[in-house]
Amino acid sequence: EAGVTQFPSHSVIEKGQTVTLRCDPISGHDNLYWYRRVMGKEIKFLLHFVKESKQDESGMPNNRFLAERTGGTYSTLKVQPAELEDSGVYFCASSPPGGGRNTEAFFGQGTRLTVV
Amino acid sequence: AQSVTQLGSHVSVSEGALVLLRCNYSSSVPPYLFWYVQYPNQGLQLLLKYTTGATLVKGINGFEAEFKKSETSFHLTKPSAHMSDAAEYFCAAHNFGNEKLTFGTGTRLTIIP
């Protein structure tokens, strides 16, 4: 069974450009999460989808970030325009339907974004 | 709001020695607690988790953690370190009322041959 897959693994862009990160969750997982780790700091929650609906987007930094999950399958996270402080590792995770605190979230390998 | 503290961003131990990675949480109501590991160029992998019941939790690769409510701690241990344990370890808590995880800042474990 394929795990959570993220594309690209690395991205280097200039300030002001647009970048789109993609996450393919484990098949059948209704819950999809985005997290971000800025260098040297903790991994922080960005948002949570249940199928195609945004359940919680309280962690999104500002309106330069747009997450979508059309059809409840893969998700994209677009940063437009990118700023220097957006650099970091973006993780995607998914978990089975039903959720709950006892449910394990499976993480992808992350996308390392560098804004120069 | 929940916070998770990991003491020591870098820990080095000799091969065969005890591994102890510290984690404390802040909430007065004990959350569910997790330890994740990230090996180089890989995603986060669940090592173990505490939900309810037995306070000593055993995980993969010989790791275990003990939940201590009185100390608000969930330290990770392994009796004998192996070179393959070199990785970054993250402690996390599940917040009540929602599905998101709150992570600590991570501890990078180096094993000295």
Side-chain angles (χ1 to χ4, degrees), chain A residues 40-107:
Chain A
K41 298 195 174 181
E42 70 271 30
I43 300 170
K44 282 194 173 181
F45 169 83
L46 296 179
L47 88 161
H48 170 209
F49 283 100
V50 178
K51 296 185 180 179
E52 66 275 9
S53 299
K54 291 177 185 175
Q55 185 77 11
D56 180 356
E57 52 184 328
S58 61
M60 294 289 265
N62 50 61
N63 59 10
R64 294 186 293 103
F65 289 75
L66 174 64
E68 295 180 322
R69 192 183 183 193
T70 307
T73 55
Y74 71 91
S75 174
T76 58
L77 179 64
K78 180 190 289 188
V79 185
Q80 178 182 28
E83 298 290 344
L84 298 179
E85 64 264 25
D86 300 333
S87 296
V89 180
Y90 290 76
F91 291 100
C92 177
S94 71
S95 66
R101 295 183 296 279
N102 196 27
T103 303
E104 177 182 351
F106 294 83
F107 282 79

